[in-house]
């Protein structure tokens, strides 16, 4: 279109974090090529996070503004939770991650984390993974590791879920943990905060910016053992949980104005 245009950029996963087989890598390569080639066609650009604005600048865009995403919290709360599939999780301590099953989301490290955590606590802990599979190769590795560590009863694989089931998952979760290697923004972090779930996340990409003063931010080099220790400490210290949730509530104000 030969009209003045402004780019709004939500990010594209780096190519080296995507599976070599399948279409998703090809689409990401195409997207990054277009991002670079289109720079001269736009009067300005908006990055929904600082990371996205930096990528816009490195690709030659001018007049860049960073404007955080505004979240419709009323819409999130409007979904009626569907607990039908979750009855077995009412009496367990549940650690949730929401994100597509792909190499950059690092679900394999969450598997290692729950393996360590189950030996640290007597509580019946569960890791819940929700999200569509976009890498069959990575999904196979996850299933293999679950079998190797005999974690079948400790890891709940939900796959892609409806808004109603997702709302239920957020309501039964005791913690939200994200070890992702790349998040352009990290909407599930915000959703978890909105449901007053304490968030533990490892530093990478835009995660620190999205967490702000909220959550528990681990070093980028934190191991699965370190993450299990963080989860255990949060389980054992109610005062820490209250503090984390209070700070998260304050952080959410940035995304609701």
């Amino acid at each position: 279109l030969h009209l003045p245009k402004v780019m709004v950029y939500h990010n594209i996963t780096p190519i080296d974090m995507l599976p070599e087989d399948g279409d998703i890598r090809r689409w990401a390569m195409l997207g990054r090529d277009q991002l670079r080639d289109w720079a001269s066609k736009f009067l300005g650009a908006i990055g929904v996070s600082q990371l996205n604005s930096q990528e816009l600048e490195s690709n030659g865009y001018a007049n860049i503004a960073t404007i955080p995403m505004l979240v419709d919290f009323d819409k999130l709360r409007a979904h009626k939770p569907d607990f039908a599939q979750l009855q077995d999780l009412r009496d367990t301590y549940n650690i949730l991650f929401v994100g597509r099953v792909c190499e950059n989301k690092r679900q394999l490290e969450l598997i290692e984390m729950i393996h360590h955590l189950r030996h640290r606590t007597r509580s019946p802990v569960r890791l819940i993974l929700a999200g569509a599979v976009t890498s069959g190769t990575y999904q196979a590795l996850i299933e293999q590791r679950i079998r190797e560590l005999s974690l079948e009863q400790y890891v709940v694989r939900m796959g892609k879920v409806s808004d109603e089931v997702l709302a239920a998952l957020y309501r039964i979760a005791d913690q939200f943990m994200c070890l992702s290697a790349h998040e352009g923004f990290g909407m599930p972090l915000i959703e978890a905060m909105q449901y007053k779930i304490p968030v533990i996340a490892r530093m990478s990409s835009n995660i620190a910016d999205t967490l702000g003063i909220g959550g528990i931010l681990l070093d980028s080099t934190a191991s699965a053992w370190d993450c299990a220790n963080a989860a255990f400490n949060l389980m054992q210290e109610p005062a820490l949980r209250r503090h984390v949730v209070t700070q998260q509530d304050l952080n959410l104000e940035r995304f609701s104005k």
Side-chain angles (χ1 to χ4, degrees):
L1 295 175
H2 298 289
L3 296 170
K5 294 181 287 293
V6 174
M7 168 70 76
V8 179
Y9 183 52
H10 290 248
N11 208 271
I12 300 169
T13 303
I15 308 304
D16 59 359
M17 294 185 182
L18 296 172
E20 294 185 5
D21 60 328
D23 290 330
I24 189 170
R25 189 184 183 98
R26 178 173 59 83
W27 293 335
M29 291 176 65
L30 176 62
R32 287 198 169 270
D33 287 344
Q34 291 173 333
L35 181 68
R36 181 190 65 246
D37 296 342
W38 290 354
S40 63
K41 303 179 186 298
F42 289 82
L43 294 177
I46 295 170
V48 300
S49 69
Q50 190 61 42
L51 172 69
N52 294 344
S53 293
Q54 291 169 357
E55 289 196 9
L56 287 167
E57 182 178 9
S58 68
N59 279 278
Y61 286 80
N63 304 315
I64 301 167
T66 302
I67 302 177
M69 293 180 68
L70 295 181
V71 183
D72 188 342
F73 295 120
D74 290 333
K75 183 178 180 181
L76 283 177
R77 288 188 288 262
H79 296 298
K80 184 178 180 181
D82 179 3
F83 293 99
Q85 305 175 51
L86 309 178
Q87 297 305 311
D88 292 340
L89 297 171
R90 288 186 177 274
D91 297 317
T92 53
Y93 190 94
N94 304 311
I95 299 178
L96 174 65
F97 175 68
V98 177
R100 58 192 175 85
V101 178
C102 192
E103 284 79 354
N104 70 293
K105 299 298 183 180
R106 298 295 195 262
Q107 284 94 340
L108 267 176
E109 293 189 69
L110 288 170
I111 301 297
E112 301 293 333
M113 180 281 301
I114 202 68
H115 171 63
H116 294 308
L117 183 60
R118 67 164 172 159
H119 294 298
R120 288 288 319 268
T121 178
R122 294 181 179 179
S123 299
V125 292
R126 297 292 183 270
L127 171 65
I128 306 171
L129 302 176
V133 176
T134 58
S135 172
T137 301
Y138 194 59
Q139 173 71 7
L141 291 174
I142 291 171
E143 296 295 336
Q144 177 183 339
R145 192 59 176 152
I146 289 172
R147 292 191 297 270
E148 290 172 349
L149 297 174
S150 300
L151 289 173
E152 288 85 353
Q153 68 172 313
Y154 295 94
V155 182
V156 180
R157 288 86 82 199
M158 297 295 300
K160 185 177 181 179
V161 299
S162 66
D163 289 335
E164 291 73 21
V165 172
L166 183 60
L169 286 172
Y170 280 126
R171 282 172 170 83
I172 59 123
D174 296 288
Q175 296 182 23
F176 187 97
M177 184 175 289
C178 175
L179 305 184
S180 177
H182 182 79
E183 294 291 339
F185 179 74
M187 181 58 74
L189 301 173
I190 299 298
E191 293 173 348
M193 291 182 190
Q194 191 272 326
Y195 281 98
K196 298 188 181 299
I197 306 167
V199 174
I200 299 174
R202 190 168 57 189
M203 184 182 295
S204 77
S205 51
N206 197 67
I207 286 175
D209 187 50
T210 299
L211 282 183
I213 62 171
I216 296 174
L217 183 65
L218 304 179
D219 189 80
S220 61
T221 61
S223 66
W225 174 255
D226 296 328
C227 297
N229 281 338
F232 180 75
N233 290 337
L234 191 57
M235 293 174 69
Q236 298 298 114
E237 300 180 24
L240 174 60
R241 180 187 181 90
R242 290 192 296 272
H243 173 73
V244 169
V245 170
T246 297
Q247 294 300 105
Q248 289 178 177
D249 288 344
L250 294 173
N251 182 58
L252 285 177
E253 295 177 6
R254 295 192 293 144
F255 305 101
S256 60
K257 297 178 180 180

